[in-house]
């Protein structure tokens, strides 16, 4: 991410100002772009864990249906999910920690609440809260887990449908975002005499700065348009 943000900042400095001295002034762009990439990476990991969490609660629900207690259902789900996921996957790491805590006689509702606190996902936190309430009040644990699994699955399906619809638009947006850089690079290499007046003088620097500001504003607006929260 740092290399990618540095590359974009360096290309911006060269194409818009043809000077390495512009890089320090473009640091806000580097910071913003790096944070954007980091946020995308974090969001991707959260969605990946949410898919794994859906598998987890469905596995626990199946174990409860066969007569396991909640504690043993969690332990059994670890065995089953380890056949699907490696130990490096987040859900397996969480399960290993949960099973270890259960062996220390920590209440299962507390174990799930602590897991929800670590992953910091709204759906997981909601499940933990409902699960703890049902466990302490003697509610129907099988129904609670089944309903939660259904709700999370529905939400994931809606997100997938939205992402499928937006996939082409996101690709078009990425291509269009690179066009201004491509045009400037093409003009600079093919017709350098026409671009000379834009570099090394106050007026040219001002024109390129205005163009860069307009581009950044358009890019930010585009990012906001293709981001849909469910």
């Amino acid at each position: 991410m740092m290399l990618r943000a540095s590359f974009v900042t360096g290309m911006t400095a060269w194409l818009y100002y043809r000077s390495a001295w512009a890089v320090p002034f473009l640091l806000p762009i580097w910071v913003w772009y790096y944070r954007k990439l980091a946020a995308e990476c974090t969001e991707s990991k959260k969605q990946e864990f949410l898919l794994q969490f859906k598998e987890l609660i469905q596995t626990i629900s199946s174990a409860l249906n066969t007569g396991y207690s909640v504690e043993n259902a969690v332990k059994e789900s670890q065995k089953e999910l380890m056949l699907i996921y490696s130990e490096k996957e987040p859900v397996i790491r969480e399960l290993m920690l949960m099973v270890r805590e259960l062996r220390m006689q920590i209440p299962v509702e507390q174990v799930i609440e602590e897991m929800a606190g670590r992953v910091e996902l709204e759906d997981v936190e909601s499940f933990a809260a409902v699960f703890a309430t049902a466990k302490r009040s003697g509610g129907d644990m099988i129904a609670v887990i089944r309903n939660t699994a259904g709700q999370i699955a529905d939400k994931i399906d809606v997100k997938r449908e939205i992402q499928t619809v937006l996939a082409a638009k996101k690709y078009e947006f990425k291509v269009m975002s690179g066009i201004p850089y491509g045009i400037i690079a093409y003009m600079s290499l093919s017709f350098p005499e026409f671009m000379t007046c834009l570099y090394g003088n106050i007026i040219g620097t001002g024109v390129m700065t205005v163009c860069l500001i307009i581009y950044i504003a358009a890019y930010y607006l585009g990012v906001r348009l293709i981001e849909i929260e469910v």
Side-chain angles (χ1 to χ4, degrees), residues 19-36:
S19 173
W21 294 103
V23 173
F25 298 99
L26 296 176
L27 282 179
I29 295 178
W30 185 93
V31 173
W32 177 76
Y33 192 64
Y34 176 80
R35 289 180 176 177
K36 177 180 175 296

Side-chain angles (χ1 to χ4, degrees), residues 88-143:
K88 295 181 180 179
E89 295 294 334
V91 70
I92 299 300
R93 293 200 301 267
E94 290 295 335
L95 271 170
M96 292 174 68
L97 181 58
M98 291 168 66
V99 170
R100 191 178 305 122
E101 291 177 341
L102 288 173
R103 288 172 179 167
M104 296 171 62
Q105 304 303 316
I106 297 176
V108 64
E109 60 270 24
Q110 180 181 338
V111 170
I112 294 178
E113 286 177 339
E114 290 178 356
M115 184 264 290
R118 288 191 297 270
V119 300
E120 297 181 342
L121 279 172
E122 181 181 355
D123 293 310
V124 182
E125 291 173 352
S126 298
F127 170 74
V130 174
F131 180 88
T133 301
K135 184 72 166 63
R136 291 163 182 164
S137 61
D140 187 349
M141 301 305 303
I142 297 178

Side-chain angles (χ1 to χ4, degrees), residues 55-69:
E55 296 287 341
L56 169 61
I57 57 180
Q58 288 176 339
T59 305
I60 292 176
S61 178
S62 298
L64 289 173
N65 284 329
T66 58
Y68 283 95
S69 65

Side-chain angles (χ1 to χ4, degrees), residues 158-168 170 226 228:
V158 170
K159 286 184 177 181
R160 283 181 171 176
E161 290 177 4
I162 292 175
Q163 292 302 320
T164 300
V165 172
L166 291 178
K170 287 183 177 181
I226 62 176
I228 297 179

